[in-house]
């Protein structure tokens, strides 16, 4: 069994996340692709993001129509800051995976900050780190020993961000075609981002 995990704030999950996930699933031919909403993102303040409950509900809705997509609330159990190295180790033991069987997908902007994460060297040893670049990412400043150990995948450039969606809702603008209809309805029914 080979699994790819994808951590994020998912506030909200958008079509960019899903298009990338499907593309990476296809390229890596993994058996399962697990979205992991961050319980307590280490680089963000609690007031800056939506409750874990709403973010999980949205990820659950966003992933339910794909047999190979799954999502996990694994970070909720730990409370405290949600460090990826701990999530990686827990997923490996839950599914009994070796470091070669677990892919850890990050965006290009996360690769640029990897040196600031907890135990980046360990993350690189404990999983296969897969990077999906955003169009404005340039990796010149990334440590060469990090670059040697990651797999940079060519993926479609989808210029959608959760920040843009939150701003559009706040400004009463349409978010059609940036998120699925069900997520659009969830955001409106729960009065998120206004
Ligand atoms: P925000 O705008 O709130 O920072 P985001 O759109 O970047 O959110 P996250 O939930 O933080 O979404 O995304 C999780 C991971 O997915 C991050 O590593 C991010 O870089 C990556 N990512 C998100 N959207 C895209 C995209 N359109 N193209 C490439 N990578 C993306």
């Amino acid at each position: 069994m080979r699994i790819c995990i994808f951590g994020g704030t998912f506030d909200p999950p958008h079509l960019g996340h899903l298009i990338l996930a499907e593309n990476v699933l296809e390229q890596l031919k993994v058996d399962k692709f697990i979205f992991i909403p961050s319980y307590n993102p280490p680089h963000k303040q609690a007031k800056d993001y939506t409750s874990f409950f709403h973010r999980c509900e949205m990820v659950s809705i966003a992933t339910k129509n794909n047999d190979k997509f799954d999502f996990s609330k694994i970070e909720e159990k730990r409370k405290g800051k949600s460090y990826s190295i701990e999530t990686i180790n827990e997923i490996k033991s839950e599914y009994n995976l070796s470091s070669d069987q677990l892919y850890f997908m990050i965006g290009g902007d996360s690769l640029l900050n990897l040196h600031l994460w907890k135990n980046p060297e360990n993350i690189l040893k404990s999983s296969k780190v897969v990077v999906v670049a955003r169009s404005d990412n340039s990796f010149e400043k990334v440590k060469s020993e990090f670059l040697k150990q990651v797999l940079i995948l060519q993926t479609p450039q989808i210029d959608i961000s959760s920040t843009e969606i939150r701003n559009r809702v706040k400004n009463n603008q349409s978010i059609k075609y940036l998120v699925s209809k069900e997520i659009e309805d969830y955001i409106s029914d729960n009065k998120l981002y206004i």
Side-chain angles (χ1 to χ4, degrees):
M1 162 101 121
R2 286 152 69 246
I3 290 181
C4 182
I5 58 174
F6 181 28
T9 314
F10 302 120
D11 190 16
H14 51 68
L15 295 186
H17 293 128
L18 298 174
I19 293 169
L20 283 172
E22 179 70 0
N23 187 281
V24 168
L25 180 81
E26 206 172 74
Q27 291 200 49
L28 299 176
K29 300 189 172 54
V30 288
D31 301 288
K32 206 187 240 301
F33 191 103
I34 309 179
F35 290 70
I36 306 188
S38 181
Y39 178 71
N40 188 348
H43 308 298
K44 294 190 178 171
Q45 307 236 318
K47 65 172 173 49
D48 294 338
Y49 51 86
T50 308
S51 70
F52 187 68
F53 173 81
H54 281 314
R55 292 185 289 114
C56 283
E57 287 292 298
M58 290 191 282
V59 172
S60 164
I61 293 168
T63 53
K64 70 173 191 240
N65 292 327
N66 188 322
D67 286 348
K68 292 201 168 176
F69 283 176
D70 207 343
F71 90 102
S72 164
K73 295 185 183 179
I74 199 162
E75 296 197 346
E76 187 179 25
K77 280 185 249 140
R78 289 203 307 270
K79 309 291 177 198
K81 294 275 179 202
S82 302
Y83 293 112
S84 298
I85 185 61
E86 291 162 17
T87 302
I88 287 169
N89 288 333
E90 284 176 15
I91 292 276
K92 279 168 76 178
S93 70
E94 182 176 338
Y95 289 91
N96 201 13
L97 301 174
S98 67
S99 304
D100 282 347
Q101 291 172 302
L102 181 67
Y103 291 86
F104 176 58
M105 174 172 141
I106 59 173
D109 34 349
S110 302
L111 177 62
L112 295 171
N113 295 325
L114 193 61
H115 59 288
L116 303 174
W117 290 28
K118 187 173 172 190
N119 282 342
E121 285 82 9
N122 232 333
I123 292 177
L124 291 161
K125 279 199 198 83
S126 310
S127 63
K128 289 185 163 178
V129 175
V130 175
V131 180
V132 290
R134 273 182 158 159
S135 49
D136 53 352
N137 292 148
S138 137
F139 299 131
E140 280 159 30
K141 293 200 176 126
V142 178
K143 283 191 191 177
S144 62
E145 69 260 40
F146 285 1
L147 277 178
K148 272 188 242 153
Q149 296 178 74
V150 301
L151 176 64
I152 298 181
L153 288 186
Q154 297 299 322
T155 47
Q157 297 296 326
I158 313 289
D159 192 12
I160 304 177
S161 72
S162 301
T163 303
E164 179 194 2
I165 293 162
R166 294 193 300 275
N167 287 339
R168 291 187 71 86
V169 174
K170 198 173 201 143
N171 296 325
N172 220 358
Q173 292 171 297
S174 161
I175 55 168
K176 266 193 202 333
Y177 317 123
L178 300 175
V179 296
S180 68
K181 174 78 173 90
E182 283 171 296
I183 297 292
E184 192 188 339
D185 291 345
Y186 187 93
I187 290 172
S188 136
D189 292 348
N190 291 282
K191 303 186 172 47
L192 303 182
Y193 313 128
I194 50 177

